[in-house]
């Protein structure tokens, strides 16, 4: 069962227009830069993208935005930190060219976790009494108010890994783990770009963060050169 | 808007120190952006563990030079170092930790705080962003942490009140704030209302009331802030 693809372009070649794609990464950390660049070259349109930030830290997402490949975003932190700086995504949102759903961080990733775990929805206390609760069902459970939030499953997930083997077992490095494991588990087809690709048996089974059953494709990439910071 | 001269009170570093003194040994802590970030300077060497939403426990100081690792940042996208006993985990696990009540103290900044313990810290009306904005992890932290403190300037740079009867900005969470630490005072949020506990040096209860919308209850043991 060899899941290794020769390069990122072949790993994303069959992604059709209208797909939904989750992107791992937290600002500049652990983002699937090479797969995202490949998707910009590939050109699939009308995409729904699921990502914590939309071109803030994960600047490569702006390639997709500027190509007008994105129609909808599901996210947590869509805009530049400063209100005076407008990202390409914010410009398109204001022009009515794209749409956007924003969730609190925990709800955002729990939607994906629930999706991957075969659940339909969950109740969370986060967002009760805020704009996040608008139009959503609430329920008192043991005297406390909770919001109903639905699970979500994207078609694809783009994952950045420190190490992967050709069976798709993955180990992440430090805080580059972030959203990557649950995004991989939620997707029908998870594609892993790994800085190091190893043979089965070369990684400690006790150390695996993401078991290979969740991963359909693996591709070797270089360690990206990253400038840390989100005001760039 | 007020035309009163702005009361100075204590500097931001001293607000951070006052909050740090409120956090007991053996606590797990999450610190927000702004004044809360400065608290980490004052708890170095103490038996307090800092959690970062991105998925890290035992966060150390900001990384410099050779220490900088692009795979080790905090939730504000700043490079950090790990302390002995650090651990890394996914964001999903991290946010479960926050909602699940494992964080003893969350210290956050705010645009506004109400006398009911509501607070607003993620979006300013008139930003042009409507109901869509950078929510981040603050809503999860606010509903989950055992103690949620606010550390902020008492009024805005324009002199507008930030401690109000009701928040007019979009809320982060309702009824969760236990204490407010500002450059002028330490205020407890109680069922009876806001209780003025401590004053910055040179500041009177009347000074604080003059820049606070709700009527303050003056604590019987009102005292000067101890650093």
């Amino acid at each position: 069962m060899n899941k290794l693809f020769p390069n990122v372009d072949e790993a994303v070649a069959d992604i059709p227009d209208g797909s939904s794609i989750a992107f791992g990464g937290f600002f500049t950390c652990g983002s699937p830069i090479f797969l995202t660049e490949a998707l910009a070259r590939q050109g699939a349109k009308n995409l729904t993208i699921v990502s914590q930030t939309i071109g803030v830290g994960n600047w490569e997402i702006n390639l997709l935005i500027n190509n007008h490949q994105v129609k909808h975003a599901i996210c947590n932190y869509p805009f530049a930190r400063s209100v005076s700086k407008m990202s390409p995504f914010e410009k398109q949102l204001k022009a009515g060219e794209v749409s956007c759903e924003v969730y609190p961080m925990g709800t955002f990733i729990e939607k994906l976790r629930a999706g991957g775990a075969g659940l339909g929805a969950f109740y969370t206390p986060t967002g009760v009494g805020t704009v996040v609760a608008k139009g959503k069902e609430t329920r008192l459970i043991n005297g406390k108010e909770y919001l109903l939030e639905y699970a979500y499953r994207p078609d694809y997930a783009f994952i950045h890994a420190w190490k992967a083997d050709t069976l798709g077992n993955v180990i992440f490095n430090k805080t580059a783990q972030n959203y990557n494991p649950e995004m991989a588990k939620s997707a029908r087809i998870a594609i892993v770009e790994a800085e190091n690709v190893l043979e089965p048996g070369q990684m400690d089974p006790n150390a695996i963060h993401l078991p290979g059953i969740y991963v359909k494709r693996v591709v070797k990439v270089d360690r990206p050169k990253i400038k840390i910071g989100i005001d760039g | 808007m007020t035309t009163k001269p702005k009361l100075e009170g204590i500097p931001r570093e001293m607000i951070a120190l006052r909050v740090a003194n409120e956090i007991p040994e053996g606590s797990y802590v999450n610190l927000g952006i702004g004044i809360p970030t400065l608290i980490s300077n004052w708890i170095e060497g103490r038996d307090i563990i800092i959690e970062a939403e991105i998925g890290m426990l035992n966060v150390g100081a900001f990384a410099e030079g050779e220490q900088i690792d692009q795979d080790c940042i905090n939730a504000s996208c700043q490079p950090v170092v790990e302390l002995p006993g650090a651990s890394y985990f996914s964001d999903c696990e991290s946010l479960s930790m926050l909602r699940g009540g494992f964080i003893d103290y969350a210290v956050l900044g705010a645009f506004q705080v109400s006398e009911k313990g509501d607070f607003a810290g993620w979006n300013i009306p008139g930003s042009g962003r409507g109901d869509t904005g950078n929510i981040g992890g603050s809503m999860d932290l606010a509903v989950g942490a055992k103690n949620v403190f606010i550390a902020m300037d008492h009024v805005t740079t324009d002199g507008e009140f930030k401690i109000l009867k009701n928040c007019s900005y979009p809320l982060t969470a309702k009824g969760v704030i236990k204490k407010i630490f500002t450059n002028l005072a330490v205020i407890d949020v109680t069922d009876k209302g806001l209780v003025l506990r401590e004053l910055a040096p040179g500041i009177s209860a009347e000074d604080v009331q003059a820049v606070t919308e709700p009527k303050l209850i003056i604590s019987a043991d009102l005292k000067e802030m101890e650093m």
Side-chain angles (χ1 to χ4, degrees):
Chain A
M1 205 183 284
N2 187 339
K3 299 176 182 177
L4 190 63
F5 272 60
N7 56 59
V8 284
D9 291 289
E10 289 190 44
V12 304
D14 64 351
I15 296 178
D17 290 355
S19 298
S20 54
I21 307 170
F23 297 76
F26 192 119
F27 292 132
T28 58
C29 194
S31 295
I33 295 173
F34 301 100
L35 288 167
T36 308
E37 288 172 350
L39 185 65
R41 291 192 290 272
Q42 191 259 27
K45 296 229 182 316
N46 289 319
L47 302 173
T48 292
I49 62 170
V50 184
S51 180
Q52 183 214 7
T53 60
I54 310 295
V56 181
N58 55 355
W59 312 112
E60 63 283 357
I61 290 279
N62 288 334
L63 297 171
L64 307 178
I65 303 294
N66 291 332
N67 282 349
H68 300 278
Q69 290 175 260
V70 176
K71 66 161 194 223
H72 186 65
I74 299 172
C75 56
N76 164 251
Y77 195 105
F79 305 138
R81 177 151 54 186
S82 160
V83 286
S84 61
K85 279 189 184 174
M86 215 187 284
S87 66
F89 178 73
E90 189 172 2
K91 281 181 195 153
Q92 290 188 13
L93 187 67
K94 288 198 165 134
E97 296 166 28
V98 294
S99 53
C100 182
E101 294 165 57
V102 187
Y103 295 94
M105 194 180 282
T107 304
F108 169 73
I109 194 60
E110 190 66 17
K111 283 168 73 71
L112 294 161
R113 193 203 72 78
L119 305 179
F122 57 94
Y123 284 98
T124 177
T126 305
V128 168
T130 76
V131 294
V132 170
K134 263 190 197 168
K136 288 177 187 163
E137 181 187 326
T138 60
R139 183 162 178 172
L140 277 179
I141 301 172
N142 295 328
K144 187 170 166 179
E145 196 175 348
Y146 293 80
L147 288 185
L148 180 69
E149 295 278 7
Y150 288 96
Y152 185 82
R153 294 203 80 165
D155 300 318
Y156 295 87
F158 287 4
I159 302 303
H160 184 86
W162 181 40
K163 293 178 182 174
D165 67 18
T166 55
L167 291 177
N169 293 304
V170 169
I171 299 174
F172 300 104
N173 192 35
K174 300 182 181 178
T175 59
Q177 178 173 166
N178 57 64
Y179 297 103
N180 282 294
E182 282 73 25
M183 286 190 164
K185 292 174 192 175
S186 71
R188 292 178 178 86
I189 298 178
I191 309 174
V192 170
E193 58 166 56
E195 294 175 22
N196 303 279
V197 174
L198 302 162
E199 292 302 318
Q202 291 187 311
M203 298 196 299
D204 177 0
N206 275 319
I208 304 294
H209 290 120
L210 178 68
I213 193 169
Y214 296 112
V215 173
K216 298 285 192 294
R217 302 174 187 176
V218 175
V219 60
K220 166 82 176 77
V221 296
D222 293 332
R223 181 166 171 79
K225 287 188 172 55
I226 290 169
K227 183 171 165 277
I228 300 170
I230 55 173
D231 295 321
Chain B
M1 188 98 66
T2 170
T3 54
K4 289 189 189 76
K6 199 181 164 193
L7 296 162
E8 283 292 335
I10 56 172
R12 295 158 69 88
E13 289 75 15
M14 290 296 110
I15 303 174
L17 172 58
R18 179 61 194 83
V19 181
N21 290 344
E22 197 72 24
I23 299 171
E25 306 298 310
S27 299
Y28 285 93
V29 173
N30 184 298
L31 303 173
I33 297 170
I35 296 170
T37 305
L38 302 172
I39 295 168
S40 59
N41 299 331
W42 296 111
I43 59 180
E44 222 176 290
R46 290 184 57 197
D47 185 19
I48 291 172
I49 290 178
I50 297 180
E51 198 264 357
E53 276 111 299
I54 191 170
M56 180 178 183
L57 274 164
N58 239 330
V59 180
F62 294 127
E64 287 172 6
E66 295 281 293
Q67 296 175 320
I68 293 174
D69 177 348
Q70 65 192 30
D71 291 342
C72 194
I73 64 168
N74 66 16
S76 302
C77 204
Q78 296 159 310
V80 291
V81 298
E82 62 182 38
L83 294 175
S87 56
Y88 298 101
F89 37 88
S90 77
D91 244 279
C92 191
E93 172 119 35
S94 175
L95 275 290
S96 300
M97 213 176 268
L98 304 192
R99 278 193 314 266
F102 293 92
I103 299 298
D104 298 305
Y105 292 86
V107 189
L108 301 168
F111 299 133
Q112 297 181 332
V113 190
S114 85
E115 62 181 334
K116 301 173 196 74
D118 306 344
F119 80 107
W122 69 276
N123 199 359
I124 303 176
S127 67
R129 290 174 173 179
D131 282 351
T132 310
N134 294 334
I135 296 176
S138 57
M139 289 189 184
D140 299 281
L141 194 52
V143 300
K146 290 194 188 111
N147 297 280
V148 186
F149 293 167
I150 295 293
M152 64 177 192
D153 288 320
H154 205 96
V155 298
T156 70
T157 45
D158 294 331
E160 287 174 57
F161 294 178
K162 297 178 72 171
I163 303 176
L164 304 165
K165 289 178 180 167
N166 291 293
C167 297
S168 59
Y169 289 12
L171 293 182
T172 304
K174 289 185 83 163
V176 297
I177 303 303
K178 291 208 172 151
K179 275 180 181 285
I180 307 166
F181 299 81
T182 77
N183 53 320
L184 305 182
V186 178
I187 295 170
D188 285 357
V189 182
T190 73
D191 293 343
K192 296 189 179 71
L194 298 179
V195 177
L196 180 61
R197 292 272 180 212
E198 295 177 30
L199 296 166
I203 300 293
S204 70
E206 293 72 29
D207 291 335
V208 177
Q209 183 63 74
V211 290
T212 307
E213 187 190 33
K215 176 83 179 135
L216 294 168
I217 300 164
I218 311 296
S219 171
D221 59 353
L222 179 67
K223 59 185 180 186
E224 188 169 293
M225 281 186 212
E226 279 172 32
M227 299 299 176

